[in-house]
Amino acid sequence: MRLRSGVLAAGCLLLQALGVAIFLRGFFPLAVRARPRGGPRGESPPEPAPPGPGTVSNWTKIPPPLFKKVVIVLIDALRDDFVFGSKGKQFMPYTTQVIEKGTSYSFIAEAKPPTVTMPRIKALMTGSIPGFIDVVVNLNSPALLDDNLIWQAKTAGKRIIFYGDDTWVKLFPKHFVEYDGTTSFFVSDFTEVDDNVTRHLDRVLKREDWDLLILHYLGLDHIGHVTGPNSPLVGPKLREMDNILKKIHISLLSKEGEASLPSLLVVCGDHGMSETGSHGGSSEGEVHTPLLFISSAFEKRSDPGYEQFKIAEKSHGNWIKLYLEGNNSEILMNLGKKVLKQYLEALKTLSSSLSKQVAQYDMYSMMVGTVIIMEVLLLLLLSVPKALSSRAEFEVPLSPSLFSLLFYLMCLVLCAVHVIVCTSAESLCYFCSMAWLTALGVMMLISALMCGILSAIGKILENSRLPVKNPVVSSSSWSEVDVLMLAGTIGHVLSLGASSFIEEEHQTWYFLINTLCLALCQELCRNHFLLKECDPQHGTSLKQNFDGIREASDCKNIDVPASGNSKLDKVASSAEFIKGSDKWLSLASPWIILICCRLLRSLNRTGVQWAHRPDFGHWLTSSEHKSELSFLAAVSLVMIFFLVQRRCSLVSKIAMALGLLGVYSYRAAIGNVVFPWQHDSKDISKGITEARFVFVFVLGIVFTGTKDLLKSQVISADSSVKSTGLWEVYSGLVLLAALLFRPHNLPVLVFCLLIQTMMTKYIWRPLKFDAAQITIMHYWFGQAFFYFQGNSNGIATVDVSAGFVGLESYVEIPAIFLTAFATYAGPLLWAIHLLCYLSSEVSRNAAAVGHGCFCYALMRSIPVAIYIVLVTGLRYHLFIWSVFSPKLLYEGVHVFITAAICLFFTAMDQNHSQKVQD
């Protein structure tokens, strides 16, 4: 059976995506569950009953309650400086007064990553550190089966009422006697989401039929996601929260009598927020949250650990005094030992007695996934000579491989290993929990891949013994650009083994594309000055010889621009290049691209080390510079139109213009920008109508392009119709990106289109790079633009607000799609541009698209495979959860997106199959 290189690449990436999914399921550990007393393993907690005769308890006598009523107020994304800093004094005066009065215990709690809502609720209620995989299931929370405070309270007969984030309702179903849940994912709602909680307060605080009241406010978190922590909306929201806390506290105090027990008010945040308003990472603003325990009982009680610390601190002062006086006697030494002992005792008393959370890796599933990933990578590497040949086809011997003795022996051995591992595993294993037919299919897949690899190695060894055919058209030595691409790819992969390089990976890509621009500048200058040194007759003879070789090559269906990098090719290229009128623009294009990249670096600071420093994006998004942001957004949208409309039909051009106008109207509706006739932004809405207006034009442009593509594939193989269809699909995606990007990020889209246009006209065409080289350049710039958007390898930089553009309520699938598209817009747009460029270049043979698809798959496969091996070895590293795990999630999602892109490449590569069949 014959396979095209594009089909092989898409199939390999799909298999690698399967391997990545299995590896991720085994890598992210399942927390060791502390099961409720009396609950059988793996079963959900039974319906609790009030304590009575026969109740199993670890206590010989149930301790008396310390508080009559408990109210827990969880303010989502409440940073510690919102309470203890200047904003707390300004906007939360009552809470500050209670803290200073001494009727409370106040702490700065440290949340462990991932700092997203569902894992933090689990941590607060169970006292354990949740698994990192909880960040994935945060969108659809399952019921919590671990031992937790809510279950224990209900078991003890306590009546619990809840209002707020419906994540609690999903985690604790049937635990509340009364509840009202609100969705936490519609981040454009700042007011109603909190009003739906507060409207119950007056009625509930007057009642006596409850013991525990839990309130989860989401408005502050939504403000942070959309406008950031320095937004003018933060202050009024904090003042609103302070008034609510005042109302609750006064109500609880009014019901306390001399004979009754006191009440307890707990104020906390599940996580903080970064300087951009997001969360999920491990920055200081994301992990530090306030934790307040407010009660009249605390006036009469003192903390023994704190008292011990104060005594040790006083003794330490005496020791320092003696030391400064020059006392070197034995008294000083004994006092020092006493101080040390007091500090250690105080720390021991203050330290929590929580049992250490143990993470268990599913090594068997990890190994199965790693084997599939490495086999796919090895198969791609062995297929490079055939995949990048002029025909770009493979003869895959399915029958000999699938019916060979080696295949069956490997299947038997792997099945035996599977049985042994699954029957002897002490802990739960995901791969062992699969159905036996599914596991057998995976074993057969691994065996088939290994047989294919051995067959490819055998063919390479066999071909190496044969004499070289057609020595006339032979490749010369590598150019500087080729060496740079190889060295840059290897260097980037090796850098993934260091946590600092992962945190600052954007610096690696910035360096690589800057170096690439300098190498391209050298290549352009070489072509220009090489022609000047050659006399006209010599140049003419060289051109004639080159044309002769081209004619001979055309007879054998060899794509010279895609495979020839000889000196004759370069001289001929320069001859065509010098005749053009755009010579100086071509020479200046690498420097213009360098300037664009430098401007983009100043727009968004990312990473960890310098992310806190102010950048141009922060300056633009401040409320004082809304007019400047509005002007920049308007200019950017106009430039986007002129850069993207040139290859579209008239209908698509009109739709693009109206869609971009709708983008500005949407941003004006939600208050990001203003129209010239607007004097204020009081009339702020959710922009639902404006966003859906743009969605209509996005779908219209994409539909028009899809219709042309289907016409070119089914009715007539017209390359011009196909090219127009691809460019229209690309234009529709650009319009969608413009809608989802925040206004200050629109210049990123402008520079993306500008660099693509300049490299197409002034670099790739004059220098006649082959498809593989152009693909690697697209991949590098796509990765760089991922970071130019402001992304990083931390979860906190994911702009979740993009997932709710045009939605009135949270809808899971559209929200996930929009968020993923907005996050990976840079790599996606560069990949689709690669397909558009290779399909529209009539000078290339039909194998160019297959070459591009294969190279793109290989460029994605190499870092993923190596990084998975590195992460396996570094799974006990200090920064495994804060640095390496988020990067692993990014890489995994990128593999799935690249697999979809390669499928699109394969579908568009039908012309090549038709020509081969002819």
Side-chain angles (χ1 to χ4, degrees):
M1 184 179 74
R2 288 189 174 184
L3 285 181
R4 289 172 288 137
S5 58
V7 175
L8 176 69
C12 285
L13 268 187
L14 289 175
L15 295 179
Q16 194 167 58
L18 172 64
V20 169
I22 296 175
F23 179 87
L24 291 177
R25 185 59 179 80
F27 176 80
F28 290 108
L30 295 175
V32 179
R33 287 181 175 169
R35 292 182 295 279
R37 295 191 296 273
R41 177 169 181 167
E43 296 182 4
S44 58
E47 280 297 313
T55 302
V56 179
S57 175
N58 291 334
W59 299 89
T60 56
K61 182 180 179 181
I62 298 178
L66 299 177
F67 304 99
K68 180 182 179 181
K69 292 182 181 293
V70 176
V71 179
I72 300 176
V73 181
L74 193 155
I75 304 174
D76 210 294
L78 183 65
R79 297 196 337 183
D80 62 324
D81 59 336
F82 287 175
V83 175
F84 302 130
S86 58
K87 288 185 179 179
K89 295 181 179 180
Q90 181 180 1
F91 300 112
M92 303 188 75
Y94 184 80
T95 305
T96 303
Q97 178 187 355
V98 171
I99 294 173
E100 295 176 350
K101 185 179 177 181
T103 57
S104 68
Y105 289 147
S106 56
F107 304 93
I108 296 179
E110 182 176 349
K112 299 296 182 183
T115 48
V116 292
T117 297
M118 191 269 286
R120 301 317 316 154
I121 294 176
K122 291 174 66 175
L124 288 170
M125 293 297 104
T126 63
S128 62
I129 301 175
F132 202 89
I133 194 63
D134 286 322
V135 73
V136 180
V137 298
N138 184 55
L139 296 175
N140 189 16
S141 313
L144 180 62
L145 302 182
D146 300 9
D147 191 10
N148 58 82
L149 293 177
I150 302 297
W151 189 90
Q152 292 290 352
K154 187 176 182 183
T155 303
K158 304 300 181 183
R159 297 157 297 181
I160 311 171
I161 296 178
F162 170 77
Y163 304 118
D165 186 352
D166 60 0
T167 304
W168 290 77
V169 182
K170 298 175 184 177
L171 288 174
F172 309 106
K174 301 180 181 179
H175 287 67
F176 306 119
V177 296
E178 181 181 323
Y179 66 86
D180 184 10
T182 57
T183 180
S184 61
F185 295 107
F186 189 58
V187 296
S188 298
D189 183 6
F190 303 157
T191 307
E192 294 179 9
V193 71
D194 288 344
D195 291 344
N196 287 335
V197 178
T198 308
R199 64 190 176 96
H200 299 284
L201 270 184
D202 291 334
R203 175 176 52 86
V204 170
L205 291 176
K206 295 177 182 178
R207 291 158 45 185
E208 296 291 337
D209 60 343
W210 58 271
D211 303 293
L212 175 59
L213 174 63
I214 302 175
L215 309 173
H216 189 148
Y217 285 93
L218 292 163
L220 182 64
D221 177 72
H222 291 184
I223 290 173
H225 278 298
V226 177
T227 62
N230 299 317
S231 167
L233 300 176
V234 170
K237 179 58 67 173
L238 292 177
R239 187 177 291 109
E240 176 188 347
M241 295 294 103
D242 189 57
N243 292 331
I244 291 170
L245 295 176
K246 180 180 180 180
K247 176 187 293 186
I248 297 172
H249 189 216
I250 293 176
S251 176
L252 293 177
L253 290 177
S254 65
K255 295 184 178 182
E256 293 182 5
E258 294 183 0
S260 65
L261 292 173
S263 298
L264 174 65
L265 172 60
V266 181
V267 182
C268 62
D270 53 347
H271 52 74
M273 67 174 70
S274 66
E275 290 303 317
T276 59
S278 300
H279 56 87
S282 57
S283 67
E284 184 176 352
E286 295 169 80
V287 301
H288 288 166
T289 63
L291 178 59
L292 307 178
F293 297 91
I294 303 173
S295 174
S296 59
F298 297 151
E299 295 177 330
K300 308 170 186 178
R301 303 174 64 90
S302 60
D303 187 339
Y306 180 73
E307 294 297 330
Q308 287 179 328
F309 180 80
K310 296 298 291 185
I311 294 173
E313 193 175 36
K314 185 176 180 180
S315 300
H316 193 187
N318 294 332
W319 182 88
I320 293 175
K321 185 178 180 180
L322 291 175
Y323 179 79
L324 294 176
E325 292 175 353
N327 191 330
N328 296 322
S329 64
E330 189 175 352
I331 299 176
L332 182 67
M333 185 177 297
N334 293 335
L335 181 59
K337 293 179 180 179
K338 180 181 177 181
V339 170
L340 179 60
K341 184 179 179 180
Q342 288 175 338
Y343 271 130
L344 291 176
E345 290 178 353
L347 290 174
K348 185 177 180 180
T349 306
L350 290 169
S351 63
S352 64
S353 60
L354 291 176
S355 52
K356 186 177 181 181
Q357 181 68 31
V358 180
Q360 294 180 345
Y361 291 99
D362 183 0
M363 290 303 300
Y364 183 46
S365 300
M366 290 171 60
M367 289 299 105
V368 171
T370 303
V371 168
I372 296 175
I373 292 167
M374 296 307 296
E375 283 184 333
V376 169
L377 174 60
L378 188 55
L379 185 62
L380 286 173
L381 291 174
L382 292 173
S383 304
V384 168
K386 286 283 187 181
L388 298 183
S389 64
S390 60
R391 295 182 64 86
E393 283 188 335
F394 301 87
E395 187 66 37
V396 181
L398 286 181
S399 298
S401 299
L402 296 182
F403 294 100
S404 63
L405 178 61
L406 177 62
F407 173 76
Y408 291 109
L409 285 176
M410 289 188 64
C411 285
L412 287 175
V413 171
L414 292 176
C415 289
V417 171
H418 182 71
V419 172
I420 293 172
V421 172
C422 294
T423 54
S424 62
E426 298 180 357
S427 59
L428 295 177
C429 175
Y430 170 72
F431 195 66
C432 292
S433 65
M434 288 183 173
W436 278 97
L437 287 178
T438 305
L440 178 61
V442 175
M443 300 303 173
M444 294 177 67
L445 172 64
I446 295 175
S447 303
L449 286 173
M450 182 56 67
C451 291
I453 290 171
L454 294 177
S455 176
I457 293 175
K459 285 189 176 182
I460 291 175
L461 294 176
E462 181 181 352
N463 293 334
S464 64
R465 300 171 185 170
L466 299 177
V468 180
K469 295 181 180 180
N470 193 13
V472 178
V473 186
S474 60
S475 60
S476 63
S477 59
W478 285 23
S479 66
E480 290 85 350
V481 175
D482 296 326
V483 174
L484 171 63
M485 290 178 178
L486 178 62
T489 302
I490 295 176
H492 167 255
V493 170
L494 295 179
S495 70
L496 297 178
S499 60
S500 298
F501 277 94
I502 293 177
E503 291 177 337
E504 307 297 326
E505 187 182 358
H506 59 286
Q507 303 285 7
T508 302
W509 289 112
Y510 296 166
F511 171 78
L512 289 178
I513 62 171
N514 290 343
T515 309
L516 176 63
C517 288
L518 294 177
L520 292 175
C521 180
Q522 180 192 19
E523 197 75 15
L524 289 167
C525 292
R526 175 183 297 162
N527 278 266
H528 171 64
F529 292 113
L530 177 63
L531 179 66
K532 285 190 175 182
E533 294 175 359
C534 297
D535 57 83
Q537 295 180 355
H538 181 63
T540 303
S541 62
L542 285 176
K543 187 68 169 63
Q544 291 173 351
N545 292 336
F546 179 82
D547 291 338
I549 295 177
R550 179 183 293 275
E551 291 173 2
S553 302
D554 291 339
C555 296
K556 297 187 179 183
N557 195 24
I558 295 177
D559 179 19
V560 173
S563 60
N565 53 0
S566 62
K567 298 297 183 183
L568 296 176
D569 190 4
K570 295 299 182 182
V571 173
S573 307
S574 59
E576 297 176 2
F577 162 67
I578 293 300
K579 291 178 182 177
S581 59
D582 298 328
K583 175 178 64 175
W584 297 111
L585 275 176
S586 181
L587 289 173
S589 57
W591 301 102
I592 298 175
I593 295 172
L594 282 173
I595 294 173
C596 294
C597 293
R598 184 63 189 90
L599 293 175
L600 288 174
R601 290 183 64 176
S602 303
L603 183 63
N604 291 309
R605 289 192 181 273
T606 182
V608 175
Q609 297 296 328
W610 297 279
H612 63 282
R613 294 187 178 181
D615 52 36
F616 189 53
H618 282 93
W619 184 85
L620 285 172
T621 53
S622 62
S623 58
E624 297 84 4
H625 304 110
K626 184 173 289 189
S627 58
E628 290 86 348
L629 177 62
S630 303
F631 176 77
L632 180 63
V635 173
S636 299
L637 291 173
V638 172
M639 293 184 67
I640 289 172
F641 174 76
F642 283 107
L643 288 170
V644 82
Q645 54 82 34
R646 49 198 172 89
R647 291 179 180 263
C648 298
S649 62
L650 178 61
V651 175
S652 296
K653 290 180 180 180
I654 297 174
M656 175 64 67
L658 294 175
L660 292 174
L661 180 62
V663 170
Y664 193 90
S665 300
Y666 165 72
R667 290 298 171 182
I670 65 175
N672 294 144
V673 299
V674 293
F675 281 106
W677 55 85
Q678 283 183 302
H679 299 289
D680 53 36
S681 56
K682 292 182 179 180
D683 300 329
I684 296 178
S685 67
K686 298 177 182 178
I688 303 295
T689 304
E690 293 83 354
R692 291 179 177 178
F693 176 80
V694 180
F695 280 135
V696 170
F697 290 110
V698 170
L699 293 175
I701 296 173
V702 173
F703 175 79
T704 303
T706 306
K707 181 190 68 175
D708 291 339
L709 292 177
L710 292 175
K711 181 179 178 181
S712 66
Q713 298 288 332
V714 179
I715 300 177
S716 62
D718 189 350
S719 60
S720 62
V721 175
K722 176 182 176 181
S723 177
T724 303
L726 284 173
W727 282 109
E728 287 183 339
V729 170
Y730 175 73
S731 302
L733 296 179
V734 170
L735 178 58
L736 179 60
L739 174 64
L740 300 181
F741 276 20
R742 298 198 180 193
H744 76 279
N745 259 350
L746 287 175
V748 177
L749 195 55
V750 173
F751 284 127
C752 174
L753 298 172
L754 180 63
I755 292 174
Q756 288 173 352
T757 303
M758 295 189 66
M759 295 192 76
T760 298
K761 187 173 182 180
Y762 301 116
I763 296 179
W764 294 327
R765 285 175 182 165
L767 294 180
K768 295 188 180 297
F769 284 116
D770 58 38
Q773 293 170 318
I774 292 174
T775 301
I776 296 175
M777 293 183 197
H778 272 84
Y779 181 83
W780 280 21
F781 273 95
Q783 292 297 106
F785 270 86
F786 174 82
Y787 296 103
F788 283 144
Q789 292 176 229
N791 292 321
S792 70
N793 288 325
I795 301 175
T797 54
V798 177
D799 184 10
V800 296
S801 64
F804 306 94
V805 174
L807 301 180
E808 290 184 348
S809 60
Y810 173 67
V811 186
E812 186 171 353
I813 294 178
I816 293 175
F817 170 77
L818 293 176
T819 303
F821 181 86
T823 303
Y824 291 92
L828 269 169
L829 291 178
W830 278 90
I832 302 300
H833 181 270
L834 171 66
L835 176 60
C836 295
Y837 173 75
L838 294 179
S839 300
S840 62
E841 291 293 294
V842 295
S843 62
R844 301 179 183 274
N845 74 352
V849 175
H851 291 166
C853 180
F854 183 86
C855 290
Y856 200 84
L858 185 62
M859 290 297 295
R860 185 87 292 271
S861 179
I862 292 175
V864 169
I866 302 302
Y867 186 69
I868 280 179
V869 174
L870 292 173
V871 166
T872 303
L874 297 171
R875 63 187 181 277
Y876 295 113
H877 193 279
L878 179 63
F879 302 132
I880 184 63
W881 300 121
S882 60
V883 178
F884 292 99
S885 294
K887 172 64 176 176
L888 183 61
L889 288 177
Y890 274 109
E891 291 292 318
V893 175
H894 204 172
V895 168
F896 287 99
I897 292 176
T898 307
I901 291 173
C902 287
L903 287 175
F904 187 49
F905 267 74
T906 304
M908 295 298 103
D909 197 19
Q910 296 297 324
N911 291 342
H912 174 52
S913 61
Q914 294 173 2
K915 290 184 180 181
V916 171
Q917 290 173 1
D918 295 340

